[in-house]
Structures are given as structure tokens and as C-alpha cells.
Amino acid sequence: MAKNGDPLDTWFKDNKAITCPISLAASIPEGGLKILEQQAADLAMLRGTPLTIHDVNVQLAILLPKSFPDFTFDDLPPEKGFVFVSRELTHEETSVIHGTLKPFLVGLPLRVEVVVAPNRFVSAEAAVPEIPSSNGLNLLPARWLNPTTPIPIRQAVEEDDDFWASRHVEILSGPSADPKDWLGNGIPIDGSRCLIDASVLPPRNIRTSLALFRYVTLVAPLRDHHDIALKGLAISESDLIELAHRGRIQVLFPQPINRYSTGFLERLFELDSRPYILSRRLAAATVADARRRMPLLYPPVGVAERRILLELLQMVQDNAPAPWREGLITGLGESWTSAEYALHSKGAMATSLNGFGRILGEMVRRETGKDLLLELLFSSMPVEWAGALGATIMPVGLENEGPQKMAEFCASAYSGAVTGTQLASIGTVEAVLEEVLALEGDAPVRELDTAFSPRDISQLNDLVYGIVRGNLTGQDLRKAVRDLNDKVRYYNSSTKRVAWLNLMAPTGALATYALTGNPGGATFVGLGSWLLGLMVKDLDASRHPCGGLIDWVRSVNARTTPDVVLVSRLKKAIKEG
């Protein structure tokens, strides 16, 4: 019996795909053969997964070596398949094409022949128009890129294809891995990081992120939004490329490469540091991170084991509210039916379509009756990517708008911790940072990057978020910032006097001792303070390994706090930069 009360066979007949040649039977038909259920590796390789002819051609384009000639696969009734190639194949190439096709033909009585037909193979020019518009998120294999595609772009996509071709079985069916294992050498793994999703919505000024985080990861804007994103970030494309070259900015490209600005791609991909991640690597890292946070999301088990897991979840009655349990079961079941196929086809974009956002949407619908699936799918994408990179999300759009609240909700649920303070207070963070540093919205970003060392960024992050997390009212918040700025001004005005006293201290001490025999009677400053000041006089706290200690020493000499010294030093660095 189905959940709606219909007999199971009737429900299945009414709800299955129209062309699905399957019906339910009360007993095993005479002469029937048992079909083995897919194991984890089968799912990862798409063995036994229903595929279209186009799907098979895409998989072949990724899996076959680059030296393989142009080709297309097609089937013609009855029970025949053809691989049309542009030239004669060697014996080795013939073995390669048959071996690569084998997983996709499981259970199909097709006899495959190789035919030389120069006019039948899929050319690069014809590849894109053949992709249905409803599948606009499907990744384009490097083999099918337009012949005019610049070499750096082609090479980057080839590398991403090769990575997936060689590692997808391990990624999807192997043991759990660290997300960092899949990121590549161009993405640093140490230090604080934030993520800005500039793909569609206008982002906020990037200077806040540069001042508070060592690394800024940018989800690349789509071609039609490229100029809008740069305007929102208040940065030129040249400056963005320069900061990527310096290692401060890394860029994610989760969508098909032909949806981004070709000029921007070429300039970025020419950099030796490789400060970017394409869709397939990003998908691999996201899957690895999701398994750590929610192991059931991409379980490396077969169909039979997944069915058992859903049955066990169904039996959980006492410890989980019914809407949550039912939403989890429905979301997982729908995700599991197409997760591997979607990851093969759409890369990182599939991690939301078949990931946490779908499950959360089902839970919300059952709990509240509201259908927020699309909003949650959109909002959960950067949350999952940020999780894989260990990044803090910097919201886009206006303060307290729907997208920001959705991102906060998804981040809290996905991470298992309340992350709302950083997300919800981004406008306050910007205001505090601007007031503390007098940081202008159009300050040159290259000079800003030069002025701030990694240690400065870490200390400033602690200072600014420490003020914000105090949950102060508007008046108290302004007072806290004003008090800090008053201390900075006092410190700045006293540094010259302190430096003069430090120079005079040994002379005064020695003269007094010589005349009176009393070593301490007339010293201008204590000998200990003078020694400390002398030790750090010419040291750059921004670059020195003990920069925090240097700020502390200077604060002791000036009778203030290290935070005041830090802000004073950063203001000076910005002004001189």
C-alpha cells in the first residue's frame, strides 16, 4: 500500500516515468532473472544507471584520452550501437573504446561496431547546441570547447576533467577523505578565510574581507554579472588579478566554464600560482566535507544498504520529530536516486541540488507548510562550498534581506553551530571597521594588501568581531568605537614624547647616580621600560615573527593596550601606503 492509500502497483504505474518499461508483479515471473543491485563502485561509475545517448557521449569525452580521435556514439535498432570516428583506430584504441563503453551498456543487448565516418563525429562547434537548454548547468568537457578557446582555459578544463576521470570512483565510493586532499596546490590551507558569492547577487565592498581575513575566496560572477560584481566589490579586474597573483584571493568556478567572462578566465588561468578551483575539484572537496558533517548525505554504500538505512530511519519514532524524520527520509531518498549522476554531469552545482539544501527544504515544508526549496537550494550552495574550504561566509545584498537570512539559517544548520553573529552583523562589522581604521570604500586595494600582514589581519579580526559580538546597542557600540579612537589619538600624540623620554632616560639616570649616589631619584622613565622600548624601537610588528609581543611592549611603554597600538599602526600603514 502506498502512503496515499493506493495499491502499490497502481501508485507505481501512475508515478513512474512514461517510458520506463517496468511494472510491479505480485510474484517472480517464470524464467525471471534477478538483477544484481548496484554496489557503491557501480553507482560511482554510473554502471547500470539509465543514460541518454548524449550522457554516454559526455562520459566518453571525459574518460577517453586526449589523443583519441573525434568520435560520437549512437545506437540504431535493432540492438546495434556504433562509434563513429574521424579516422581508423589502432588495436589499442579499439580496446580502449570498448572498455570505456562497457559500464554504460550493462544489461543492454547492444553489439557495438566502430565505423570511420568523418562527418558523423561530434565536433566542438556542434557540441554546445546539442545540449538541451534545460541542462544549462551541465559541464562542458574540454574536448568539446570551441576551437577558439584560449589555451590557458582549455588546459584548466582538461586538468579538471582528468582529475575527475582518474579519481571519481575513489571520491564517490571510497573511504572518507579530508576536503583539502582534493583542492589542488593553488589553494593555501592555512590561515583565516572568507567566501563571497558574487555569482549573481551584487557583493559588498571587498575591503572589509581583505582587512579581516587572510584569504578571500570569490565565487566567480557569471558573464552577464561580471561588471556588476566588480562594481559591488569596488575593485578593478586588474587589481583582482593582482591580488590573486599575490595569493590573497582565490576564485571558484562551479558552473560550466563557458558561462564566465573569457577575458577574465584567460588572465586568471595564466597565473602560475593557479589561484582557482574548477567545478569537479570543488565538487570532490564538498562531498568530502559533507560526509564529515552529515555522513548519510553521500554514503559510500550500495543500493541495498541505502534502502536499509532508510528503513532504519523510518523506525526512529521517539527521538526525532515526525516532520524532521520524514523530511530527512524523503530528501535522502530523492538525493540518492541521482546524486552520482548529477555530480558527473553538473560538478559542484550538484552538491546543492542533491545535497543539504534539498533535505532542509523537505524538513521546512513538513514543519511549516512553506515551500522554500528553491531559496534553500540557492542559499545552501555557498554554505557547502565554504564548509569544504573552512571559510566564513560574507553575505551579499543588503543588510537583513532574505538571501542573508537564508544563508544564516543554512550555515547554522549545516555546521551544527550558531554562526548567526558573523553573518547577521556584516553591516555592523563594516561600520566598525570603517570607523576604527578610517578605511575608505575606495582605498587602493593593492596598498591595503601591502599594509596588512597576516598577523595584523588575525588581530584585527579578533578586535572588530570582539566589539561586534558584545551585542551592544547602537549608542553603546558608537561609544565603544569612540573610546578606542580616543585612545589611539592619545597614543599617537604621546609617541614622540615617549620616544624623547626613552632617549633621555639613560643620561638622566647616570647623571643622578654620579652626583647623589642614588640610582633612582631623578630618572625620567624606568630603566626596564627604557630597555623594552629600545629593544623594539626599529622593529616592524607587521612582519616580525613576534609582532604581537612588539605591540604589547609598545603598549606598556605608552600605558595603553596592544589593540590601540595595532589600530594606530594599521592606520599609519594605510596612510603611507
Side-chain angles (χ1 to χ4, degrees):
M1 189 73 67
K3 189 174 182 178
N4 64 358
D6 291 342
L8 192 58
D9 57 344
T10 302
W11 176 89
F12 182 78
K13 181 179 179 181
D14 293 339
N15 288 275
K16 70 177 184 178
I18 297 176
T19 58
C20 178
I22 298 175
S23 59
L24 298 184
S27 59
I28 299 176
E30 184 178 351
L33 299 176
K34 182 178 181 179
I35 298 176
L36 296 178
E37 293 178 292
Q38 294 164 294
Q39 301 300 311
D42 297 325
L43 295 169
M45 298 173 65
L46 303 182
R47 182 186 287 123
T49 300
L51 300 174
T52 66
I53 294 297
H54 179 77
D55 291 333
V56 174
N57 275 300
V58 170
Q59 293 304 311
L60 292 177
I62 296 170
L63 297 173
L64 289 173
K66 290 189 288 289
S67 59
F68 198 87
D70 292 324
F71 69 90
T72 188
F73 170 78
D74 204 352
D75 67 335
L76 297 173
E79 300 179 356
K80 266 196 172 184
F82 293 93
V83 177
F84 300 101
V85 293
S86 58
R87 62 164 173 79
E88 290 283 351
L89 300 184
T90 65
H91 177 74
E92 181 180 357
E93 288 172 337
T94 301
S95 298
V96 167
I97 184 62
H98 282 288
T100 306
L101 265 173
K102 188 175 181 180
F104 310 125
L105 303 181
V106 171
L108 298 178
L110 282 181
R111 292 177 288 115
V112 177
E113 297 181 15
V114 177
V115 178
V116 177
N119 296 324
R120 288 293 301 270
F121 63 86
V122 178
S123 63
E125 297 91 332
V128 178
E130 288 188 8
I131 298 178
S133 58
S134 60
N135 291 334
L137 295 179
N138 285 1
L139 300 179
L140 191 65
R143 181 184 287 270
W144 289 354
L145 292 176
N146 193 288
T148 62
T149 301
I151 292 177
I153 300 177
R154 182 179 298 277
Q155 290 176 338
V157 177
E158 285 178 349
E159 190 279 332
D160 204 42
D161 287 351
D162 291 344
F163 163 78
W164 188 257
S166 62
R167 308 302 289 271
H168 68 273
V169 176
E170 179 184 358
I171 293 165
L172 299 177
S173 64
S176 297
D178 191 314
K180 298 181 180 67
D181 294 342
W182 307 126
L183 293 179
N185 298 327
I187 305 300
I189 59 176
D190 60 323
S192 60
R193 179 187 302 278
C194 72
L195 183 141
I196 303 173
D197 184 5
S199 54
V200 176
L201 293 179
R204 305 171 81 97
N205 194 310
I206 198 172
R207 286 157 185 79
T208 300
S209 300
L210 290 171
L212 295 178
F213 297 92
R214 184 171 182 181
Y215 303 114
V216 176
T217 301
L218 187 71
V219 181
L222 299 179
R223 184 192 304 110
D224 293 342
H225 299 269
H226 188 77
D227 292 338
I228 297 173
L230 292 177
K231 182 178 180 180
L233 293 168
I235 190 173
S236 68
E237 184 176 292
S238 296
D239 283 345
L240 197 157
I241 296 293
E242 173 60 25
L243 293 184
H245 174 64
R246 296 183 184 186
R248 286 298 308 278
I249 291 179
Q250 297 81 39
V251 188
L252 308 182
F253 296 95
Q255 298 204 28
I257 206 68
N258 54 318
R259 302 196 72 184
Y260 299 102
S261 165
T262 301
F264 175 63
L265 290 171
E266 185 175 13
R267 294 181 67 187
L268 185 69
F269 290 176
E270 284 177 339
L271 298 178
D272 294 334
S273 56
R274 302 168 65 85
Y276 54 83
I277 309 177
L278 268 61
S279 188
R280 300 190 190 279
R281 277 193 181 273
L282 181 57
T286 306
V287 168
D289 182 68
R291 282 179 173 171
R292 297 192 303 180
R293 298 173 186 269
M294 191 175 183
L296 289 178
L297 199 51
Y298 298 100
V301 298
V303 171
E305 291 86 353
R306 295 183 182 189
R307 183 175 63 250
I308 293 172
L309 288 173
L310 291 180
E311 291 173 352
L312 292 174
L313 285 173
Q314 187 64 48
M315 294 170 62
V316 178
Q317 300 289 338
D318 299 330
N319 297 325
W324 294 14
R325 185 185 68 252
E326 293 174 2
L328 179 62
I329 292 171
T330 301
L332 287 175
E334 292 178 351
S335 173
W336 289 349
T337 60
S338 59
E340 287 81 8
Y341 169 77
L343 287 165
H344 274 278
S345 303
K346 296 177 173 62
M349 295 302 291
T351 58
S352 173
L353 299 174
N354 289 75
F356 180 70
R358 177 176 294 279
I359 293 172
L360 202 56
E362 290 292 340
M363 289 181 171
V364 169
R365 184 171 67 84
R366 283 166 169 74
E367 179 71 34
T368 68
K370 296 181 179 180
D371 186 0
L372 300 177
L373 179 60
L374 290 179
E375 292 90 337
L376 289 168
L377 288 177
F378 181 81
S379 299
S380 65
M381 282 190 294
V383 169
E384 295 185 20
W385 300 333
L389 296 167
T392 297
I393 294 180
M394 300 296 280
V396 297
L398 298 177
E399 184 79 5
N400 295 325
E401 279 194 338
Q404 180 171 328
K405 291 185 176 181
M406 281 291 181
E408 180 183 352
F409 174 55
C410 290
S412 299
Y414 188 60
S415 66
V418 178
T419 57
T421 301
Q422 290 194 7
L423 287 169
S425 61
I426 182 60
T428 308
V429 168
E430 290 174 334
V432 170
L433 184 64
E434 181 177 350
E435 289 296 322
V436 168
L437 288 185
L439 182 61
E440 298 179 0
D442 59 351
V445 291
R446 300 191 191 195
E447 287 76 0
L448 178 66
D449 175 58
T450 302
F452 286 19
S453 71
R455 181 180 293 104
D456 293 336
I457 293 170
S458 178
Q459 291 177 297
L460 186 62
N461 185 296
D462 292 341
L463 170 62
V464 172
Y465 277 115
I467 294 174
V468 172
R469 292 194 185 105
N471 293 321
L472 303 175
T473 63
Q475 183 176 354
D476 291 339
L477 184 64
R478 287 191 293 273
K479 183 178 184 300
V481 174
R482 186 171 62 250
D483 289 346
L484 177 60
N485 279 331
D486 288 343
K487 292 177 182 178
V488 171
R489 281 191 290 272
Y490 177 79
Y491 169 75
N492 288 338
S493 66
S494 65
T495 50
K496 291 183 179 180
R497 180 176 60 85
V498 171
W500 179 78
L501 289 175
N502 282 341
L503 289 174
M504 292 300 295
T507 304
L510 292 175
T512 302
Y513 179 72
L515 292 173
T516 68
N518 181 357
T523 52
F524 291 98
V525 295
L527 191 59
S529 295
W530 169 76
L531 288 173
L532 287 175
L534 186 63
M535 288 165 57
V536 301
K537 177 177 180 292
D538 296 319
L539 297 182
D540 182 358
S542 294
R543 311 298 170 185
H544 197 279
C546 298
L549 180 62
I550 294 171
D551 281 344
W552 173 78
V553 169
R554 287 174 175 154
S555 72
V556 169
N557 264 3
R559 290 177 172 78
T560 185
T561 64
D563 286 345
V564 171
V565 178
L566 169 71
V567 172
S568 174
R569 177 163 52 77
L570 294 182
K571 281 187 173 182
K572 181 180 179 182
I574 294 172
K575 184 177 180 180
E576 292 178 349

